[in-house]
Amino acid sequence: MSIQSWVLRTFPGVLSRIDSPRRQLKQLRTSVARAQNSVFYGKRLKEAGVTPGSIRSIEDFTTRVPVTTREDLLEQDPYDLLAVKPGSEAILYGQTSGSTGNPVPVWATLKEMQDGIELALALPVFRNNLHPSDRVALCYPYTRTLAGRSADLLNLMAGCTVIPIGTRNNMYPPEMAAATINRLRPTILGAAATDAFAYANILRDQGVDPRKLGIRLIVSGAEPCPPARAEALGRVYDAKVLSLLGQNEIGFPGIPCELNKMHVPQFMMYTELIHPDGSPAQPGERANTIVTPTFKRAQPLLRYVTGDTVLWDDKPCECGLPLPTMEILGRAHTVISTNGRSFFPIELEEALYKAASLDGVWYQIRVREDEVLVRAEHRETDQYDQMASSIESQLSAFTGRKVRVEMITPGTLYDYRQIRPGKPLSRVVDEVAGTGEVVEGM
Ligand SMILES: [Zn+2]
């Protein structure tokens, strides 16, 4: 049976929900009706003269409902964003990881989390990769963001054995996390790629070969990880790597398939593609997204401006899943322009790992007026010359600049045995534009 017919059989709602504008309209109206119950949207929709009944077409929705920005949410009392009454059902609080320094409040009901997970578990990527016999070590953050808790619930609902480790807390500092992974021999590791690289380095320092742990799958999440870096991580553990990227406010803007393409879950999310000037964009163009997650109950969001630039592709994916795919390139303000070329940090990261399969934890790329300096951590010193020349030639072709490479031992840029501080220790620093944050002492 093809995956497509399998999806149709196991999850019959998917195609009709995608293909039917009527159903989509109904979902958007329901979202407006739910949103009205919060103080924030109650006021805002009243001001705009919008009621669920006044939305007669998708165009009505996109033209009459005002957009919601991150700043709008930051200005509110978090309780004014709640559309369900506390006490009427179980509610969980979280915040975005706040790379901008201002975390956005995020509410979810237990029921909506369970419903979302049930939907996710019907998708081939989870159905085919998670088995009740799996032992799953989860190293995502458990507090502040909802990442750890959702992963926990997903794996428990799949019937797996769950080993909650978390990250960035002093109960499981990296060395304790690595020791627990070594002792419990998980078959699946859920972790940000940075943490997974750090645990591998700690284990190798102790003479343990991460490839012998028996981990067959790594689900990289909680930070973007482009394909070449995912492959490099896979080599370190001799495991398959899938990248999953959730955003606390909106859920999953994309769900990976077996081929590691991000599919847009249109059955639970309405996505508008626009150019920076607000005009509609077409698939294949670099576009910004405005999303309406239609499954949210505790904290509905209508036309949320994500700030992400994406590359949307509506050609069928070889995996057969009948959903468009997209690549999230990053936030528009992080674009690096040099020598008439412009690219996102993640594209530079992809180019770096294509040039060299690094096994350290950290790297740093500094874009300067006259050169690009790359400092990359790697363990095997006898590979330094070959890696440096490969990085030099491939990155200078990519950036159009002179590239200088320093190969360094893991731990030089950042001590991977220490608890990692908050999110942005930027790996890509644009010294010309002054963007990217520099880690102290670097
Ligand atoms: Zn696919």
Side-chain angles (χ1 to χ4, degrees):
M1 196 189 334
S2 74
I3 295 178
Q4 186 149 2
S5 54
W6 179 88
V7 170
L8 271 172
R9 262 177 61 168
T10 46
F11 201 17
V14 168
L15 277 188
S16 58
R17 288 195 216 186
I18 298 163
D19 289 341
S20 152
R22 255 182 76 186
R23 197 185 280 260
Q24 210 157 35
L25 177 61
K26 205 174 141 204
Q27 284 187 327
L28 292 173
R29 263 197 209 139
T30 306
S31 300
V32 170
R34 285 185 191 142
Q36 273 184 328
N37 295 326
S38 72
V39 173
F40 167 63
Y41 276 115
K43 196 167 149 233
R44 174 168 277 221
L45 292 170
K46 199 172 170 190
E47 278 166 11
V50 175
T51 59
S54 70
I55 305 292
R56 292 198 189 85
S57 64
I58 289 175
E59 207 198 338
D60 276 347
F61 179 79
T62 57
T63 54
R64 298 193 52 201
V65 175
V67 296
T68 304
T69 64
R70 191 168 272 110
E71 290 68 32
D72 290 333
L73 300 180
L74 284 171
E75 285 166 10
Q76 311 306 315
D77 179 323
Y79 290 98
D80 287 348
L81 299 173
L82 258 180
V84 297
K85 220 169 161 240
S88 64
E89 53 180 313
I91 302 172
L92 197 61
Y93 177 73
Q95 296 180 165
T96 58
S97 50
S99 49
T100 50
N102 285 324
V104 173
V106 181
W107 296 103
T109 69
L110 179 60
K111 173 122 184 16
E112 81 180 70
M113 284 173 80
Q114 286 169 333
D115 288 351
I117 287 167
E118 225 159 80
L119 227 46
L121 284 175
L123 292 171
V125 70
F126 292 114
R127 275 286 277 254
N128 297 345
N129 288 297
L130 285 184
H131 308 295
S133 57
D134 275 311
R135 301 184 293 268
V136 188
L138 293 173
C139 310
Y140 304 123
Y142 266 73
T143 51
R144 193 155 142 184
T145 82
L146 298 180
R149 287 174 182 274
S150 327
D152 213 288
L153 201 55
L154 185 139
N155 285 284
L156 289 171
M157 283 172 68
C160 304
T161 299
V162 175
I163 305 156
I165 288 177
T167 183
R168 298 178 210 168
N169 67 67
N170 58 13
M171 293 303 282
Y172 269 116
E175 285 176 302
M176 177 68 77
T180 306
I181 290 165
N182 191 21
R183 193 170 181 212
L184 273 291
R185 302 177 303 282
T187 52
I188 298 179
L189 178 67
T194 302
D195 291 324
F197 274 117
Y199 304 149
N201 274 279
I202 290 168
L203 291 167
R204 288 178 74 180
D205 291 345
Q206 297 166 349
V208 178
D209 184 348
R211 291 171 302 181
K212 303 271 165 64
L213 291 171
I215 294 171
R216 62 172 178 81
L217 174 70
I218 297 174
V219 182
S220 148
E223 74 179 20
C225 182
R229 183 159 171 250
E231 275 168 36
L233 180 62
R235 275 180 211 113
V236 169
Y237 282 92
D238 191 20
K240 176 169 142 182
V241 179
L242 287 173
S243 292
L244 192 62
L245 189 60
Q247 290 178 355
N248 282 277
E249 333 74 300
I250 57 172
F252 288 108
I255 293 176
C257 66
E258 302 266 21
L259 304 173
N260 235 337
K261 294 262 196 249
M262 283 285 194
H263 286 268
V264 184
Q266 287 181 310
F267 48 88
M268 57 202 285
M269 177 96 61
Y270 179 71
T271 310
E272 298 168 53
L273 296 176
I274 54 157
H275 291 126
D277 67 5
S279 61
Q282 297 307 311
E285 291 181 304
R286 287 188 171 201
N288 297 342
T289 52
I290 296 179
V291 300
T292 303
T294 50
F295 69 99
K296 280 174 73 86
R297 291 168 186 275
Q299 185 182 333
L301 277 178
L302 304 176
R303 305 195 67 221
Y304 184 63
V305 181
T306 63
D308 288 329
T309 302
V310 308
L311 206 50
W312 181 283
D313 190 351
D314 55 5
K315 287 192 288 294
C317 175
E318 275 175 44
C319 78
L321 201 60
L323 295 166
T325 60
M326 75 173 177
E327 241 180 278
I328 299 182
L329 298 172
R331 299 268 152 92
H333 70 267
T334 62
V335 171
I336 298 165
S337 298
T338 176
N339 242 14
R341 300 180 193 197
S342 60
F343 41 82
F344 283 88
I346 201 157
E347 295 177 286
L348 210 49
E349 179 173 277
E350 172 71 2
L352 173 67
Y353 279 87
K354 262 191 186 157
S357 189
L358 302 165
D359 64 4
V361 182
W362 216 256
Y363 67 83
Q364 199 174 62
I365 301 176
R366 288 173 170 277
V367 180
R368 296 173 168 164
E369 287 287 2
D370 53 340
E371 64 167 16
V372 175
L373 171 64
V374 179
R375 303 181 75 204
E377 294 184 350
H378 189 67
R379 290 182 80 91
E380 289 80 13
T381 48
D382 58 342
Q383 295 173 359
Y384 277 15
D385 289 347
Q386 178 266 322
M387 279 191 163
S389 71
S390 168
I391 294 171
E392 259 164 35
S393 66
Q394 294 197 39
L395 256 64
S396 59
F398 184 81
T399 59
R401 293 242 154 217
K402 183 165 85 72
V403 175
R404 185 157 61 87
V405 180
E406 285 174 20
M407 298 298 299
I408 46 186
T409 53
T412 311
L413 287 173
Y414 141 82
D415 184 357
Y416 52 85
R417 290 167 297 257
Q418 300 289 320
I419 295 172
R420 200 149 59 91
K423 202 172 178 176
L425 304 178
S426 187
R427 299 176 175 92
V428 178
V429 180
D430 185 347
E431 290 189 8
V432 184
T435 55
E437 286 170 49
V438 186
V439 185
E440 253 174 64
M442 284 169 64

